[in-house]
Amino acid sequence: MPVTRTTPMDLESLYAPMSSTGPDTAVSVILKLRGETCDIDCLYCFEKRKESPGGARISTGQVHRLGSIFSGRPLSVELHGGEPLTAGRERIAEILDALAAQPNVIRVSLQTNGLQLDDAWLDLFERHCPELEIGISLDGDALGNSWRVGYDGRPTYARVVEALELLGRRERRVGVICAVTPYVLGRASEVMEHLASFPTVTTVSLVPCFDAAVSRPTTVVGSRAPTSRALQRRAIGPTGPAWAVTPRQYADFVLEAAHHWVANGLFRRIKLEPVVSVIRRLKGLRTRSCHFSDLKCDHVLTLYPDDRLGSCDELPWPQAGLTALGDVHTEADVADAQGSSPLLRQARSLVTKCTTCDYRDTCSAGCPAVRLRFAAAGDEDAYCDHRMRLIDGVAAILAQPDLQPGAPCARLRWRPIRPNDMHHVAAFLARWDDPAAPRPTARLQVGAHGNINTVGLPGMHEADDLDPQHPQWYEGIEPGVRPVVDALTTGWNTVTYDSCQGHTYDGLPGAEPRFLSVGILPRDRAEYTQTAARLCRAAGRAESSLPRTCSLVLGRSELTCRTTGRGYPTLDLHLAPVTEATSTEYFRDLDRAVKVLTEALAETPPAPPSTGCGCTAGADPADGGQQ
């Protein structure tokens, strides 16, 4: 997929060092209360693969020291493991009291397998930390949870269900972390319905088992291996472990789950991640997920009972280790250790390529820990491809909630245009179809470089909103793009809200060229669906005949109404240069590309909604034959 020419973004906008953020920016600290010690032995457990010593307990002294080091910054603390509840009630109560004594601790959460939860534990939480957020690990239904077993090899599913039922009786709200393994693939609707059947569950986080590189079982301490390790050994084959999924499989599962979540109204009660984070980024909003934020590994720390302080626990150890807590006196000491870490330098270097990616504002470069794994395997593109597919798929679901799962258009990609707004969108749409509507004289100025707007200057400037029945309609459309606009408005009866013929800006210092584009504003969802499919078919007709310097890029975006604040889904068409072409070559061939595109638009008839677009099975060979 060719990209539009994007001006590079500053690296810190995607990966912010701790030293670059202010005192209002929180740091997340994962407290490994018992290290890797756990009362069950999940076959895919990444903590036990670190093969670090367990058994000790984090002390209240360590908690107070953390609070002192970061006294000028908010802390979000997660009690984690292994299994944190193996630290025992007395120690957990002490830890919660120590955290409550730190004025900068703004959030405390607990991630547990749930097996030890009972009324006594819940009473303790209510006494010592009433706002404690509880997360339960449950991989969907009984089949999906098959990798989570005790040391005896027996499944833990039934006991986790008991914990969820207890939490429901106590009117506690919990989040569920659901690992996506082959046992849930193709069953997203079933898995979502099962998790939603527990009234206590208000958040479902789908996390991938990207473990293809795992080649050996976890080391066993002692001479006798438990049954669970024998199961693990049998599950690891020459191509990786049986619990691993590919990035594409994970993306498809999440999109199937998202479709069910929307279509069946589960979004009213359950927050689904990473879907909600993608939606927030699509809307230009921030999210707490570090995978979709600039607050990555430098803002996530892990503390072990033996005083090891390191970066995010998803990073490989011991490389992720930074220093000993006892050697740290100030936040600056931690920042210095981060700056000296070869692993973090490598992680930041992988993000560098994201600074010119079209998806950067939405993707936010993803997870450096996972990127490192895929880079080591020489397959980082697979990671990026699945992130793009997630974003494109969620954008499609938002615009076309009736779209069938598993069949998103491969040509229509998320291409946000910023800024992209209009004074009053609903009024503009109503005027477009009303010949009797008043149409005041437009302010039109033509600049030296061919720009038509209210001031006649290059760049992003206001332009009055015109429609085909306005007397100045043709005056307001730049000549080079008029054939495309005509084909879409007169031929297709679509609403266009913006157009540009492309401008070289020769002789204008520092100005980047602009490429031809047309923005389409569907009147409703049905028209959106039909126009999207028709655009895809038209692209299939045009692609083979376009000059080799030009590429047709179809984008989804959103137009914001300045009056109401509402966002309207749009379809945006771009003729952009291919990656290898210079601007000079592109503009030399642009007229020919416009002719090819205009003919393809004219020759592409509307199709029944059930037909789909040119990317799906059953496409008309005359429309490009794309399967």
Side-chain angles (χ1 to χ4, degrees):
M1 181 69 186
V3 298
T4 54
R5 302 296 177 88
T6 306
T7 304
M9 172 187 277
D10 187 274
L11 179 60
E12 289 190 3
S13 298
L14 295 175
Y15 188 128
M18 188 189 298
S19 57
S20 73
T21 57
D24 293 336
T25 303
V27 167
S28 297
V29 180
I30 302 167
L31 297 182
K32 297 286 187 179
L33 295 189
R34 294 291 309 282
E36 54 88 17
T37 300
C38 190
D39 50 1
I40 63 174
D41 198 32
C42 304
L43 274 59
Y44 57 54
C45 180
F46 73 91
E47 189 63 42
K48 289 177 181 175
R49 288 204 297 268
K50 296 175 185 175
E51 298 175 1
S52 54
R57 293 171 172 81
I58 281 180
S59 69
T60 57
Q62 290 172 303
V63 172
H64 285 298
R65 187 170 183 85
L66 269 174
S68 174
I69 292 167
F70 294 101
S71 58
R73 187 188 285 267
L75 284 183
S76 177
V77 178
E78 181 174 8
L79 310 182
H80 209 278
E83 171 52 48
L85 296 188
T86 60
R89 288 189 174 88
E90 182 178 352
R91 179 57 56 88
I92 294 284
E94 293 172 350
I95 294 291
L96 292 176
D97 289 342
L99 291 169
Q102 308 291 331
N104 57 326
V105 173
I106 60 171
R107 176 175 175 259
V108 182
S109 60
L110 168 79
Q111 186 62 38
T112 173
N113 59 38
L115 269 62
Q116 292 194 31
L117 280 180
D118 56 19
D119 284 304
W121 271 116
L122 297 180
D123 291 341
L124 183 151
F125 297 154
E126 290 177 4
R127 288 194 305 272
H128 295 270
C129 187
E131 302 302 317
L132 179 70
E133 298 177 17
I134 299 176
I136 301 289
S137 299
L138 179 68
D139 301 343
D141 54 13
L143 175 60
N145 211 60
S146 299
W147 304 108
R148 301 186 62 82
V149 299
Y151 288 92
D152 59 2
R154 298 177 66 181
T156 62
Y157 170 78
R159 295 163 67 190
V160 183
V161 168
E162 290 175 6
L164 289 173
E165 291 171 345
L166 168 65
L167 288 160
R169 291 194 298 272
R170 295 289 294 261
E171 297 186 344
R172 293 296 298 248
R173 298 294 173 258
V174 302
V176 166
I177 290 184
C178 173
V180 176
T181 71
Y183 283 149
V184 300
L185 295 181
R187 302 192 304 115
S189 296
E190 187 178 337
V191 168
M192 287 299 300
E193 280 300 321
H194 182 72
L195 293 174
S197 70
F198 299 102
T200 187
V201 174
T202 56
T203 299
V204 173
S205 298
L206 304 174
V207 298
C209 277
F210 289 155
D211 288 343
V214 173
S215 59
R216 60 188 180 89
T218 308
T219 300
V220 176
V221 177
S223 57
R224 242 179 121 177
T227 304
S228 55
R229 298 300 169 90
L231 293 175
Q232 185 193 58
R233 188 168 54 251
R234 287 199 294 270
I236 298 176
T239 59
W243 63 78
V245 295
T246 67
R248 177 62 180 262
Q249 288 173 327
Y250 171 69
D252 287 349
F253 180 85
V254 172
L255 291 177
E256 289 166 15
H259 184 276
H260 184 86
W261 178 69
V262 170
N264 291 271
L266 297 183
F267 64 89
R268 297 185 179 93
R269 184 172 68 82
I270 291 176
K271 176 184 177 184
L272 179 62
E273 288 289 1
V275 177
V276 170
S277 286
V278 173
I279 292 172
R280 290 188 63 83
R281 298 305 298 146
L282 289 171
K283 301 291 184 181
L285 303 173
R286 294 188 67 84
T287 173
R288 200 163 69 182
S289 169
C290 57
H291 293 196
F292 291 89
S293 164
D294 59 329
L295 304 180
K296 300 192 183 298
C297 306
D298 282 26
H299 287 77
V300 182
L301 299 169
T302 305
L303 178 66
Y304 283 87
D306 60 1
D307 232 26
R308 285 175 298 148
L309 182 67
S311 294
C312 172
D313 66 341
E314 292 189 42
L315 288 162
W317 284 70
Q319 302 96 309
L322 296 173
T323 183
L325 183 66
D327 296 334
V328 177
H329 302 283
T330 66
E331 178 185 312
D333 294 335
V334 178
D336 288 344
Q338 290 172 332
S340 302
S341 165
L343 184 67
L344 292 184
R345 283 201 297 270
Q346 184 184 1
R348 281 190 290 269
S349 71
L350 291 178
V351 173
T352 302
K353 80 170 192 175
C354 304
T355 60
T356 56
C357 176
D358 283 350
Y359 287 79
R360 65 192 184 188
D361 289 339
T362 312
C363 173
S364 297
C367 174
V370 181
R371 294 182 77 100
L372 283 166
R373 274 183 260 161
F374 279 93
D379 198 18
E380 195 183 355
D381 285 347
Y383 179 75
C384 293
D385 289 346
H386 106 278
R387 297 276 294 184
M388 295 177 191
R389 183 169 177 80
L390 272 179
I391 292 166
D392 291 337
V394 173
I397 290 171
L398 288 180
Q400 302 169 261
D402 295 332
L403 188 71
Q404 290 301 308
C409 177
R411 290 193 180 96
L412 270 165
R413 312 292 291 270
W414 176 248
R415 290 287 183 271
I417 300 169
R418 297 194 176 101
N420 198 33
D421 54 34
M422 179 182 285
H423 172 65
H424 201 309
V425 178
F428 171 71
L429 285 170
R431 186 169 65 248
W432 188 281
D433 293 320
D434 183 4
R439 291 174 170 81
T441 301
R443 300 163 295 168
L444 299 178
Q445 297 290 330
V446 182
H449 296 273
N451 301 82
I452 301 178
N453 50 49
T454 58
V455 292
L457 295 176
M460 302 296 291
H461 295 282
E462 186 179 6
D464 288 342
D465 303 318
L466 305 179
D467 63 88
Q469 299 179 80
H470 195 288
Q472 294 169 279
W473 168 247
Y474 274 108
E475 292 177 54
I477 303 172
E478 295 169 354
V481 75
R482 283 176 189 165
V484 180
V485 174
D486 270 344
L488 291 169
T489 55
T490 304
W492 286 24
N493 191 31
T494 59
V495 177
T496 57
Y497 71 94
D498 187 36
S499 63
C500 175
Q501 69 179 11
H503 305 283
T504 61
Y505 294 143
D506 289 338
L508 196 61
E512 293 287 332
R514 288 196 64 189
F515 308 121
L516 184 142
S517 64
V518 180
I520 301 171
L521 177 62
R523 296 172 177 84
D524 52 38
R525 283 178 171 167
E527 184 174 291
Y528 185 106
T529 298
Q530 184 180 54
T531 305
R534 196 174 180 185
L535 280 174
C536 178
R537 290 175 172 274
R541 287 181 180 271
E543 281 170 350
S544 61
S545 301
L546 284 172
R548 288 191 294 177
T549 56
C550 300
S551 172
L552 179 57
V553 179
L554 303 180
R556 302 182 194 269
S557 189
E558 190 171 85
L559 178 67
T560 301
C561 178
R562 294 197 298 271
T563 301
T564 65
R566 177 183 168 187
Y568 290 78
T570 64
L571 296 163
D572 300 282
L573 179 155
H574 309 265
L575 274 176
V578 298
T579 305
E580 301 80 12
T582 65
S583 295
T584 300
E585 292 170 331
Y586 164 80
F587 282 104
R588 179 197 67 202
D589 295 338
L590 183 57
D591 286 346
R592 185 154 55 97
V594 168
K595 186 175 185 295
V596 169
L597 174 58
T598 304
E599 290 175 353
L601 293 172
E603 294 168 0
T604 304
S610 59
T611 305
C613 70
C615 297
T616 54
D620 182 351
D623 285 338
Q626 301 295 316
Q627 300 294 319

